[in-house]
């Protein structure tokens, strides 16, 4: 049977030369004799289509053991030896599978009354847990994999934490980190803080530091509480667009939304309405007292304390807005003005040429924060103006290079520019681009650096690979122009340098 191509061939050659051999095809039963190269053997020919089909293996996926167990034991509840009742629903389950849960393992193997019960009523103290989440969590004990919807992950995480399912908790955390966005970031952060997922909290904070200022969103501002905003505002990793005054402005809008959560309008109208609301409140109340000293303003005090005011009062227009708004207590501003005056005197009379020793802690807490958005590839040159202790720094982006230049000789007003031969600068420059959900597409950073520049000297800060560039490109800088000194007022929120307004 089945000896296709294994017919016996004869020829006119000497019978002694006719030796039985195995065909090169390797098929058993093919017994053809040696012959001249022109002789034909069926085993050398290609099999016809029907033979090829017969020899092609066919795969039919059988129901896996895992699927069978899930369907038969979990969904159908066959051979159940325990019933779990919770939130008005019942599950016919099996102790041997439930013992994968630390919660049930302790219950069944300890001296609890439930260890001998056939029906166990389960109390659910966590409001995040619902029947759908319990269905997923119980089902995970009977199968190899679980599909978790990002919209349902918090409820499933809550149930997994209650039942002490470490593997499922980890999977929930990975799902959350992969789906952080404007609609999920605050919910995920809050849930991660409740259930102890530090890596998720870190991921959410990173997203907020990158997007709070670069992609402002009204709904997100309404969600963010004082505790989260305080963490963001005090960080030197906050992506600031354009200068520190914009941080203050963002906080003013955020505070207005916290006190007026029903406000519903376009983001472009938000600042005007916030200013109008503050003006109306000052007029109606007739108060000279700053807003943060009032009862409804006091809760926001910890957040505004982290605004780096020393970089706002160095710009005349910004300083006038602070006075007009009357949000901040006057003693805050007085102490900052005093510190900045002493910093200026040190620069002029003590020859303070800027930071020369690495002091990263001081840099993180008090460096100037500023940024710029490059909408498309091209040539750009800009500066952050204001009184910068005589350090006029030009930043240029061209041909995929970012260059710093200390500008001195072309200044129209010499009194604002230091003519010292050398000036020192501490800086960090970061680049980033984001997708539509706010996730990083690419990023680069110089890290904390010290730099010395002579008059009109240029320095290449970064050389970019065009293959990694994606526009719009966000440029975020931290600068420190003067040396850290301890002769500042103890109540001042850190002095040092200054800057403002993009030109």
């Amino acid at each position: 049977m089945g000896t296709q191509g294994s017919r016996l061939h004869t020829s006119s050659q000497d019978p002694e030369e006719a030796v039985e051999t195995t065909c090169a095809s390797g098929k058993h039963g093919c017994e053809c004799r040696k012959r001249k190269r022109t002789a034909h053997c069926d085993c050398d020919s290609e099999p016809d289509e029907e033979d090829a089909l017969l020899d092609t293996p066919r795969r039919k996926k059988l129901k896996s053991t895992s699927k069978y167990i899930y369907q038969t034991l979990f969904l159908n509840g066959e051979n159940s030896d325990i019933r779990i009742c919770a939130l008005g629903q019942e599950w016919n389950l099996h102790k041997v599978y439930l013992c994968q849960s630390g919660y049930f393992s302790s219950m069944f193997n300890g001296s609890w009354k439930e260890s001998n019960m056939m029906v166990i009523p389960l109390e659910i103290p966590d409001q995040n847990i619902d029947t759908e989440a319990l269905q997923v969590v119980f089902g995970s004990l009977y199968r190899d994999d679980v599909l978790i919807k990002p919209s349902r992950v918090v409820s499933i995480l809550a149930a997994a934490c209650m039942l002490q399912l470490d593997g499922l908790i980890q999977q929930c955390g990975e799902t959350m980190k992969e789906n952080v966005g404007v609609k999920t970031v605050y919910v995920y952060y809050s849930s991660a803080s409740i259930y102890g997922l530090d890596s998720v909290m870190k991921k959410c904070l990173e997203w907020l530091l990158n997007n709070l200022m670069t992609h402002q969103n009204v709904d997100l501002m309404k969600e963010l509480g004082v505790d989260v905003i305080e963490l963001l505002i005090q960080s030197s990793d906050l992506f600031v667009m354009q200068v520190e005054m914009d941080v203050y402005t963002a906080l003013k809008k955020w505070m207005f939304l916290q006190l007026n959560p029903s406000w519903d309008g376009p983001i472009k109208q938000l600042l005007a309405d916030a200013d109008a609301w503050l003006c109306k409140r000052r007029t109606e109340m007739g108060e000279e007292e700053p807003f943060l000293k009032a009862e409804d303003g006091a809760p926001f005090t910890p957040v505004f304390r982290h605004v780096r005011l020393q970089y706002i009062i160095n710009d005349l227009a910004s300083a006038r807005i602070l006075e007009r708004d009357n949000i901040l207590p006057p003693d805050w501003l007085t102490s900052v003005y005093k510190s900045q005056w002493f910093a200026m005197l040190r620069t002029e009379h003590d020859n303070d040429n800027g930071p020369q020793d690495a002091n990263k802690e001081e840099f993180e807490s008090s460096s100037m924060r500023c940024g710029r958005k490059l909408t498309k590839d091209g040539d750009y040159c800009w500066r952050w103006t204001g009184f910068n202790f005589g350090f006029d720094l030009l930043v240029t982006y061209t041909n995929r290079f970012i260059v710093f230049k200390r500008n001195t000789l072309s200044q129209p007003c010499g009194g604002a520019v230091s003519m010292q031969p050398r000036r020192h600068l501490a800086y960090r420059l970061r680049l980033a681009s984001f997708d539509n959900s706010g996730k990083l597409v690419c990023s680069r950073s110089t890290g904390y650096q010290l730099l010395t520049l002579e008059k009109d000297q240029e320095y290449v800060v970064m050389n970019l690979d065009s293959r990694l560039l994606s526009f719009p490109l966000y440029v975020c800088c931290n600068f420190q122009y003067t040396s850290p000194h301890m002769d500042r007022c103890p109540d001042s929120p850190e002095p040092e340098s200054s800057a403002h307004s993009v030109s």
Side-chain angles (χ1 to χ4, degrees):
M1 294 178 60
T3 57
Q4 298 139 337
S6 59
R7 302 165 190 165
L8 185 64
H9 291 262
T10 59
S11 68
S12 59
Q13 69 183 48
D14 191 328
E16 293 182 0
E17 295 181 2
V19 180
E20 189 176 272
T21 184
T22 302
C23 175
S25 67
K27 296 180 182 178
H28 297 289
C30 180
E31 298 176 350
C32 55
R33 298 182 183 277
K34 283 186 177 180
R35 56 200 179 276
K36 294 180 181 178
R37 193 172 296 273
T38 55
H40 177 73
C41 174
D42 288 347
C43 62
D44 289 335
S45 63
E46 293 294 330
D48 59 30
E49 185 176 350
E50 183 178 355
D51 291 342
L53 291 174
L54 290 174
D55 288 336
T56 302
R58 297 296 179 187
R59 293 184 180 180
K60 184 175 182 181
K61 192 171 182 180
L62 302 176
K63 180 180 285 187
S64 68
T65 302
S66 175
K67 288 185 177 180
Y68 175 81
I69 290 173
Y70 182 76
Q71 178 68 44
T72 306
L73 301 185
F74 177 65
L75 295 181
N76 298 342
E78 293 184 16
N79 300 319
S80 170
D81 58 1
I82 193 166
R83 181 179 300 169
I84 304 296
C85 304
L87 301 177
Q89 190 165 327
E90 297 181 350
W91 287 267
N92 295 315
L93 304 175
H94 308 79
K95 282 188 176 182
V96 68
Y97 285 97
L98 288 177
C99 281
Q100 297 174 83
S101 156
Y103 179 88
F104 285 112
S105 179
S106 299
M107 176 186 292
F108 297 149
N109 296 320
S111 56
W112 303 95
K113 64 178 182 179
E114 290 88 352
S115 60
N116 296 315
M117 295 172 59
M118 300 295 293
V119 179
I120 297 179
L122 202 62
E123 294 186 7
I124 307 296
D126 192 335
Q127 294 183 350
N128 284 328
I129 302 175
D130 55 21
T131 56
E132 186 178 344
L134 289 175
Q135 178 76 6
V136 172
V137 171
F138 287 145
S140 72
L141 302 173
Y142 291 80
R143 63 194 312 177
D144 295 330
D145 57 350
V146 182
L147 296 178
I148 301 176
K149 294 180 181 179
S151 60
R152 297 289 308 153
V153 66
V154 173
S155 295
I156 295 171
L157 172 63
C161 288
M162 175 184 167
L163 299 182
Q164 301 170 31
L165 294 170
D166 293 340
L168 189 56
I169 293 172
Q170 183 178 357
Q171 186 177 347
C172 288
E174 293 302 317
T175 300
M176 294 166 81
K177 286 188 285 187
E178 292 170 3
N179 292 278
V180 174
V182 67
K183 294 183 179 180
T184 61
V185 61
Y186 185 67
V187 173
Y188 286 179
Y189 177 84
S190 301
S191 302
S193 64
I194 294 173
Y195 302 112
L197 296 184
D198 292 341
S199 63
V200 176
M201 292 178 66
K202 181 180 178 181
K203 189 73 173 180
C204 291
L205 284 176
E206 288 176 353
W207 189 96
L208 287 168
L209 287 168
N210 290 335
N211 289 273
L212 181 68
M213 300 290 294
T214 59
H215 303 84
Q216 292 189 21
N217 182 276
V218 171
D219 293 332
L220 180 59
M221 283 185 173
K222 289 181 180 180
E223 287 184 312
L224 295 177
V226 170
D227 54 341
V228 180
I229 285 289
E230 186 177 0
L231 286 174
L232 300 174
I233 298 303
Q234 66 182 298
S235 175
S236 280
D237 292 330
L238 180 67
F239 248 84
V240 173
M241 301 281 137
Q242 308 263 342
V243 287
E244 192 72 22
M245 184 61 184
D246 293 276
V247 178
Y248 168 83
T249 301
L251 285 185
K252 184 165 57 173
K253 293 187 286 188
W254 165 77
M255 182 176 68
F256 167 73
L257 291 172
Q258 296 295 302
L259 296 171
N260 301 272
S262 61
W263 185 88
D264 184 19
I267 188 73
K268 292 182 179 180
Q269 185 63 31
L270 181 55
L271 179 58
D273 287 359
D275 283 336
W277 177 81
L278 281 169
C279 181
K280 181 180 179 181
R281 184 187 179 282
R282 290 194 300 269
T283 302
E284 291 179 349
M285 302 299 292
E287 295 178 353
E288 295 183 1
E289 185 179 50
F291 183 72
L292 294 184
K293 292 291 185 180
E295 182 179 354
D296 51 349
F300 305 103
T301 300
V303 175
F304 278 91
R305 275 206 175 274
H306 293 294
V307 178
R308 301 181 182 186
L309 297 174
Q310 64 269 32
Y311 304 112
I312 296 180
I313 65 169
N314 288 346
D315 177 72
L316 180 60
S318 300
R320 285 172 171 167
I321 292 174
L322 291 184
E323 296 288 342
R324 180 204 69 188
D325 287 347
N326 196 28
I327 293 175
L328 309 178
D331 58 310
W332 289 19
L333 296 174
T334 301
S335 63
V336 176
Y337 280 119
K338 179 180 177 180
S339 295
Q340 290 299 78
W341 175 250
F342 275 106
M344 186 185 72
L345 293 178
R346 288 195 303 269
T347 302
E348 289 295 315
H349 301 292
D350 283 352
N351 292 323
D352 180 2
N353 293 328
Q356 302 179 50
D357 301 318
N359 191 333
K360 192 173 181 180
E361 183 178 354
E362 177 80 16
F363 181 85
E364 291 294 331
S365 65
S366 63
S367 60
M368 169 185 168
R369 301 179 291 190
C370 50
R372 185 75 183 262
K373 178 182 177 181
L374 310 184
T375 56
K376 60 183 180 180
D377 200 5
D379 293 334
Y380 297 86
C381 182
W382 69 93
R383 62 159 62 89
W384 290 279
T385 59
F387 183 71
N388 296 327
F389 299 97
F391 206 132
D392 182 38
L393 190 70
L394 297 182
V395 182
T396 303
Y397 170 84
T398 183
N399 294 326
R400 298 186 297 279
F401 287 93
I402 293 183
V403 179
F404 288 170
K405 178 184 178 182
R406 180 189 168 195
N407 191 35
T408 55
L409 301 181
S410 61
Q411 286 296 321
C413 181
V417 178
S418 170
M419 300 304 293
Q420 294 176 4
R422 293 180 179 84
R423 287 294 300 265
H424 308 293
L425 169 73
Y427 74 91
R428 179 180 62 195
L429 183 141
R430 291 174 291 154
L431 300 180
S433 57
F434 309 96
D435 63 14
N436 292 333
S437 66
K439 292 181 180 178
L440 277 174
V441 174
C442 66
S443 64
R444 288 280 304 277
S445 174
T446 62
Y448 174 71
Q449 302 288 336
L450 292 173
L451 177 64
T452 300
L453 291 175
E454 298 180 359
K455 296 178 183 178
D456 289 302
Q457 181 181 352
E458 294 184 350
Y459 177 78
V460 176
V461 178
M462 193 177 288
N463 180 9
L464 304 172
D465 187 340
S466 60
R467 294 171 298 179
L468 301 177
L469 287 181
S470 177
F471 290 85
L473 188 65
Y474 294 85
V475 182
C476 184
C477 297
N478 295 73
F479 295 119
Q480 194 168 31
Y481 294 119
T482 62
S483 302
H485 287 273
M486 300 307 296
D487 57 345
R488 63 172 67 116
C489 177
D491 293 332
S492 66
E494 305 294 328
E496 293 331 309
S497 123
S498 83
H500 270 65
S501 298
V502 175
S503 62

